[in-house]
Amino acid sequence: MRRLLLFTLVSGTALADVPPDNAAQCQGAKSGAACTTDDGRPGTCVTQRVGRLDYSEGVPPKAIEVDMLLCVATAPARVTTRSPVLAAGLGLALVAALAGLSVVARGRRPRPVS
C-alpha cells in the first residue's frame, strides 16, 4: 500500500511540470519571434496565460495562472483526407462501379445473390 501511495505522489509531481502544448519552440525566445507549432504549422511566439499547479505550499496544490510564451499558428491548418479507411472505401466503390459497368456493357443482367 505504501508503494502505491509513493508511486502516485511521485508520478503526480512529475506530471505537474509538463509544459503545455506549443511551448517548447518559444522557450528562451522573445515575444513575436517566429516558431513552429507542435503540428508543424508556422507561428509566432505570443504571451498567454496558462494554468499551472503550485506545490510551493505542499499537497494539495493550488491552481494558479502564469504568463508563458506559446507558439500560436499564423496559418490555418491544412485539411487532409488521407485516411486509409476512406481510401479503401473509395477503392471498393470504384471496383463495384466497374463491375456493374462491365455487366451492363455485355448486355447481361446480374444474377441475384441468394
Side-chain angles (χ1 to χ4, degrees), residues 7-100:
F7 176 76
T8 304
L9 290 175
V10 170
S11 64
T13 303
L15 290 175
D17 293 332
V18 174
D21 292 341
N22 298 317
Q25 288 274 324
C26 294
Q27 207 169 29
K30 293 183 180 179
S31 185
C35 59
T36 305
T37 62
D38 292 345
D39 60 357
R41 294 183 286 161
T44 304
C45 292
V46 177
T47 302
Q48 296 200 345
R49 303 277 295 166
V50 295
R52 297 217 86 159
L53 293 177
D54 179 19
Y55 286 89
S56 64
E57 296 177 15
V59 179
K62 291 182 182 178
I64 61 169
E65 286 190 350
V66 295
D67 288 332
M68 181 177 267
L69 280 177
L70 298 178
C71 187
V72 176
T74 54
R78 288 187 290 162
V79 176
T80 58
T81 57
R82 295 181 184 168
S83 167
V85 175
L86 179 62
L90 291 175
L92 288 174
L94 180 62
V95 168
L98 290 175

